[in-house]
Amino acid sequence: MPQDGNSRYLRCMKTPRYTPLALSLPSTVPFVGPETQERSRGKAFAARLGANENIFGPSPLAINAMQQAAEEIWKYGDAQSHDLVQALAAHHGIPAQNILVGEGIDGLLGYLVRLLIGPGDAVVTSQGAYPTFNYHVAGFGGALHMVPYRYDHEDIQALFAKAAEVDAKLVYLSNPDNPMGSWHRGQDIVAALADLPEGALLLLDEAYVECAPTGTAAPVDINDPRVIRMRTFSKAYGMAGARVGYALAQADLILAFNKVRNHFGMNRTAQAGALAALQDQNWLTHVQGEIATARKHITEIAAENGLTALPSATNFVAVDCGQDGDFAKAVLDSLLAQDVFVRMPFAAPQNRCIRVSCGPDEDLALFAAALPVALAAARSACAADIAS
Amino acid sequence: MPQDGNSRYLRCMKTPRYTPLALSLPSTVPFVGPETQERSRGKAFAARLGANENIFGPSPLAINAMQQAAEEIWKYGDAQSHDLVQALAAHHGIPAQNILVGEGIDGLLGYLVRLLIGPGDAVVTSQGAYPTFNYHVAGFGGALHMVPYRYDHEDIQALFAKAAEVDAKLVYLSNPDNPMGSWHRGQDIVAALADLPEGALLLLDEAYVECAPTGTAAPVDINDPRVIRMRTFSKAYGMAGARVGYALAQADLILAFNKVRNHFGMNRTAQAGALAALQDQNWLTHVQGEIATARKHITEIAAENGLTALPSATNFVAVDCGQDGDFAKAVLDSLLAQDVFVRMPFAAPQNRCIRVSCGPDEDLALFAAALPVALAAARSACAADIAS
């Protein structure tokens, strides 16, 4: 054996040997995070209104619980998130066996797609809906089929019809919707299940449902094998950085996650924080009020600038900039340049909008000050384009 | 459309449609966590010495950093873990492009296996080595090939020979080893790479390397495409509950993780805590001393009971109970019944041992008090078995 094993590696060009699927995947990212943008800008944002984070924050009791739990961070988290699952079971009035806690909805989406979707398996979603779901589907080789929004709402009938057409194993629907903020009544979703083709599982992403009017949460029978719902502590509960989501579904499907999930993947402080956040429903009510106020405020700012804000059941508002995606992109770019972090929908015609997260008055004041400048800049750029 | 979509679900027995691979997987768990055991026992453990957690805990600065970061938990974590990666790059004297931070080594193992291993792809590990790695390999349909330990050490030559025989894409080696605590010199691993077959990637799990003698960390060329190393903040750094690990490898392989990883999967407080922990190398030195003392203490307790403790380069000690796996299991069961949580290796002949994590004197005193009782109980049970 040679003394230096390192000398041999130059000829080992075949290592590592990726799967054909891995080789076919792009190294793209669903979203560019605000910190990444700040580093490439060389400058921090003054208002962070782009990631639908909840700037009003979590319950102080949740923060305190996390700080307490940090003292015990030497222990792994409970692999079953037992206390949180029990509390969620009581909160929802369902058995614990119908609940799985995981590393945010993003983590749960990955596990669910892995359980169901292999190369070529059909999946249906809306054109311009949550890209991280698409990322997971592509990552397991699934074939994504998309239907357009209808009047800025996800089109349930079209989604289910497409699912029947392509024999989909999985159908994605977010209610309320991201990025448009629109929503369906929960009872309408349950009624529409009659048209969900056999063999298709409806993944109902209810990440924003605590921000929505009463009746938005779909009253799905917890034993209905056709639906899995996902909830999160990242939005109304204000704990995006903790990574805690949960799934509600029939017990067999919940159990199946144990085949693939990272059993010791939960951060221990996050488990404690989510439990405390759930137990402080007064704080949730307070935040719901703040969100409603901020939505109204964003709507007013839009109106003052001659723009229309779309009705929203979420903690963000899509503001229709009144022209096409290029124009909205120019508005967005100017807002970013003015240190106001916002995002915009990916697909036309929703990309005529910018998407502004709810926040306290001081953040919205920065947006209000920057928007007229951004609109003027976009109109000027647009005029220059036409002239050239 | 019927008014109640729920009425239809009883005939949808085909939903959800799992992949053939998912259907083939058992719902087993790599480890049963201590909290799960406590719930089934109906009683808390008095000493938590089974999960190789670091009871000495993390740097107080790390705890403080996590507590501070909890105030900003409404923000998602930085998708690039930029500050931590930069600090790790400086710490290791390598470029940032060669480092990936992820959700503990467990999370990183899952991503790596997913990138390389599809149904039927060959993987080599040792009989009785880390079961969570095996869990991930099975979870992606890989074919596990195992070689026995050799004198309680993982057998590098046998691992690499088996890899050549089965055309393995991935070879797992932990150094120091879990569950035996044994180790190889880092330079011997690098020299052995000359025998690693072309097309095989060596996954070198160095989770415990900060507990090991100088020279244990393998001096692998960071651009060597044959090796990926994994490190963690769960062991010597005392942050198991935070879920922070990292991989060291050639830049292309690091980049490939971006195809499949959960980009916003890191807990924000964990990122801050790991950074602070890394920056407090004095605390690490302190903990290394405590671990060395505890190893000596466990060795003495074993000797007082006529047992042999194996040499250890980790934060745990494998104690040879001197008989077979059934005997060690009887010892283990009695220790558990006496509220002392320990574990034992899974495979013969290593399962003649119990595995005891390092801890403060008060925890080890509980172990010391319980061990003679456990040995007597095991001998009695063994004698009864022979008599019957």
Side-chain angles (χ1 to χ4, degrees):
Chain A
M1 188 186 302
Q3 285 303 299
D4 178 13
N6 278 333
S7 61
R8 186 170 161 273
Y9 73 77
L10 285 176
R11 70 178 181 86
C12 294
M13 302 307 288
K14 279 174 56 187
T15 304
R17 290 183 284 171
Y18 299 104
T19 65
L21 176 58
L23 280 174
S24 76
L25 296 173
S27 280
T28 52
V29 179
F31 291 105
V32 179
E35 283 86 358
T36 303
Q37 293 189 39
E38 287 176 334
R39 286 189 292 271
S40 66
R41 285 158 35 93
K43 196 177 172 195
F45 288 118
R48 185 164 159 138
L49 300 169
N52 298 344
E53 296 158 329
N54 178 351
I55 309 171
F56 305 109
S59 160
L61 300 178
I63 293 175
N64 186 57
M66 287 183 274
Q67 290 171 334
Q68 293 292 318
E71 305 273 356
E72 290 206 330
I73 202 72
W74 62 269
K75 298 181 184 176
Y76 286 101
D78 174 12
Q80 300 179 307
S81 298
H82 174 270
D83 296 349
L84 179 55
V85 168
Q86 292 296 323
L88 286 166
H91 179 74
H92 289 292
I94 58 174
Q97 65 180 2
N98 296 106
I99 303 171
L100 182 80
V101 167
E103 303 95 326
I105 288 182
D106 283 357
L108 292 169
L109 288 177
Y111 294 138
L112 180 68
V113 170
R114 181 173 162 195
L115 283 170
L116 269 63
I117 304 302
D121 285 340
V123 177
V124 172
T125 185
S126 300
Q127 183 78 43
Y130 193 47
T132 303
F133 174 71
N134 300 354
Y135 170 78
H136 288 303
V137 171
F140 287 98
L144 274 166
H145 300 269
M146 300 188 186
V147 303
Y149 279 63
R150 186 176 168 88
Y151 304 118
D152 297 321
H153 286 66
E154 291 196 66
D155 185 341
I156 304 176
Q157 264 63 39
L159 285 164
F160 291 4
K162 177 61 77 174
E165 177 193 330
V166 300
D167 189 25
K169 294 173 84 172
L170 191 57
V171 180
Y172 179 86
L173 172 66
S174 64
N175 189 55
D177 174 67
N178 177 17
M180 302 310 285
S182 57
W183 68 103
H184 295 280
R185 292 188 308 170
Q187 67 190 66
D188 293 342
I189 293 174
V190 170
L193 289 174
D195 291 330
L196 184 71
E198 196 163 356
L201 179 73
L202 175 63
L203 164 50
L204 184 56
D205 181 344
E206 297 185 324
Y208 294 96
V209 79
E210 294 90 356
C211 309
T214 303
T216 304
V220 176
D221 185 321
I222 194 63
N223 297 310
D224 190 330
R226 297 172 300 177
V227 185
I228 184 169
R229 286 169 287 168
M230 294 197 183
R231 303 283 182 93
T232 185
F233 285 87
S234 297
K235 302 301 177 185
Y237 286 105
M239 293 174 51
R243 313 317 299 130
V244 188
Y246 59 101
L248 304 173
Q250 57 142 324
D252 286 348
L253 178 51
I254 292 299
L255 200 61
F257 280 82
N258 283 332
K259 298 179 171 195
V260 299
R261 74 184 180 95
N262 191 359
H263 288 265
F264 291 88
M266 290 296 297
N267 179 290
R268 190 175 181 95
T269 69
Q271 293 173 319
L275 178 60
L278 184 71
Q279 289 169 337
D280 190 356
Q281 292 291 311
N282 285 340
W283 182 264
L284 181 65
T285 303
H286 159 72
V287 167
Q288 288 165 331
E290 297 282 0
I291 289 171
T293 301
R295 281 194 302 237
K296 191 154 169 276
H297 193 168
I298 295 169
T299 302
E300 289 162 358
I301 294 167
E304 288 159 11
N305 288 273
L307 306 183
T308 304
L310 275 60
S312 168
T314 62
N315 76 332
F316 60 86
V317 177
V319 175
D320 186 339
C321 293
Q323 301 193 34
D324 64 4
D326 288 341
F327 182 80
K329 177 68 165 53
V331 174
L332 180 91
D333 286 343
S334 173
L335 290 170
L336 294 173
Q338 295 178 75
D339 304 333
V340 176
F341 168 52
V342 296
R343 284 198 174 118
M344 63 183 285
F346 295 98
Q350 298 94 275
N351 67 357
R352 71 189 188 282
C353 301
I354 56 171
R355 196 193 67 179
V356 184
S357 302
C358 292
D361 287 346
E362 53 268 35
D363 295 279
L364 296 186
L366 293 172
F367 169 65
L371 183 59
V373 178
L375 286 167
R379 282 174 190 135
S380 165
C382 191
D385 271 0
I386 290 167
S388 68
Chain B
M1 188 187 304
Q3 284 303 298
D4 178 15
N6 279 333
S7 61
R8 186 171 161 275
Y9 73 77
L10 285 176
R11 70 178 180 84
C12 295
M13 301 307 289
K14 279 173 55 187
T15 305
R17 289 183 285 172
Y18 298 104
T19 66
L21 176 58
L23 280 174
S24 76
L25 295 173
S27 280
T28 52
V29 180
F31 291 105
V32 180
E35 283 86 358
T36 303
Q37 293 189 39
E38 288 176 334
R39 286 189 291 270
S40 65
R41 285 158 36 93
K43 197 175 170 194
F45 289 117
R48 184 163 160 140
L49 299 168
N52 298 344
E53 296 159 329
N54 178 350
I55 310 171
F56 305 109
S59 160
L61 300 179
I63 293 175
N64 186 57
M66 287 183 275
Q67 291 171 333
Q68 293 292 318
E71 305 273 357
E72 290 206 329
I73 202 71
W74 61 270
K75 297 180 185 175
Y76 286 102
D78 174 13
Q80 300 180 306
S81 298
H82 174 270
D83 296 349
L84 179 56
V85 167
Q86 292 296 322
L88 286 167
H91 179 74
H92 289 291
I94 58 174
Q97 66 180 1
N98 296 106
I99 302 171
L100 182 81
V101 167
E103 304 94 326
I105 289 182
D106 282 359
L108 293 169
L109 289 176
Y111 295 137
L112 180 68
V113 170
R114 180 174 162 194
L115 284 170
L116 268 64
I117 304 303
D121 284 341
V123 177
V124 172
T125 185
S126 299
Q127 183 78 43
Y130 192 48
T132 303
F133 174 71
N134 299 356
Y135 169 79
H136 288 303
V137 172
F140 288 98
L144 274 165
H145 301 269
M146 300 189 186
V147 302
Y149 278 63
R150 185 178 169 86
Y151 304 117
D152 297 322
H153 286 66
E154 290 196 66
D155 186 341
I156 304 176
Q157 265 63 39
L159 286 165
F160 292 3
K162 177 61 78 176
E165 178 193 328
V166 302
D167 189 26
K169 295 173 83 172
L170 190 58
V171 181
Y172 178 86
L173 173 66
S174 63
N175 189 55
D177 174 68
N178 176 18
M180 302 311 284
S182 58
W183 68 103
H184 295 280
R185 292 188 307 171
Q187 67 189 66
D188 293 342
I189 293 173
V190 170
L193 289 175
D195 292 330
L196 183 71
E198 196 164 356
L201 179 72
L202 175 63
L203 163 51
L204 184 56
D205 181 345
E206 298 185 324
Y208 296 96
V209 79
E210 295 90 356
C211 309
T214 304
T216 305
V220 176
D221 184 319
I222 195 62
N223 296 311
D224 190 331
R226 296 171 302 176
V227 185
I228 183 168
R229 286 169 287 167
M230 295 196 182
R231 302 283 182 93
T232 184
F233 284 88
S234 297
K235 303 302 178 184
Y237 286 105
M239 293 174 52
R243 314 317 298 131
V244 188
Y246 60 101
L248 304 172
Q250 57 141 325
D252 286 349
L253 178 51
I254 292 299
L255 201 61
F257 280 83
N258 283 333
K259 297 179 172 196
V260 299
R261 74 184 179 95
N262 191 359
H263 288 264
F264 290 88
M266 289 297 296
N267 179 291
R268 190 175 182 96
T269 70
Q271 292 172 319
L275 178 60
L278 184 71
Q279 289 169 337
D280 189 357
Q281 292 290 310
N282 286 340
W283 182 264
L284 181 65
T285 303
H286 158 72
V287 168
Q288 287 164 332
E290 298 281 0
I291 288 171
T293 301
R295 282 194 300 237
K296 192 154 167 276
H297 193 167
I298 295 169
T299 303
E300 289 162 357
I301 295 167
E304 288 160 11
N305 288 273
L307 306 182
T308 305
L310 276 59
S312 167
T314 62
N315 75 331
F316 60 86
V317 178
V319 175
D320 186 340
C321 293
Q323 301 193 37
D324 62 4
D326 288 341
F327 182 80
K329 177 67 163 55
V331 174
L332 181 90
D333 286 344
S334 174
L335 290 171
L336 294 174
Q338 295 177 75
D339 304 333
V340 177
F341 168 53
V342 296
R343 284 197 175 120
M344 62 183 286
F346 295 99
Q350 299 95 269
N351 67 358
R352 71 189 189 283
C353 301
I354 55 172
R355 196 193 67 179
V356 184
S357 303
C358 291
D361 287 346
E362 53 267 35
D363 296 279
L364 297 186
L366 294 172
F367 170 65
L371 183 58
V373 179
L375 287 167
R379 282 175 189 135
S380 166
C382 191
D385 271 359
I386 291 167
S388 69

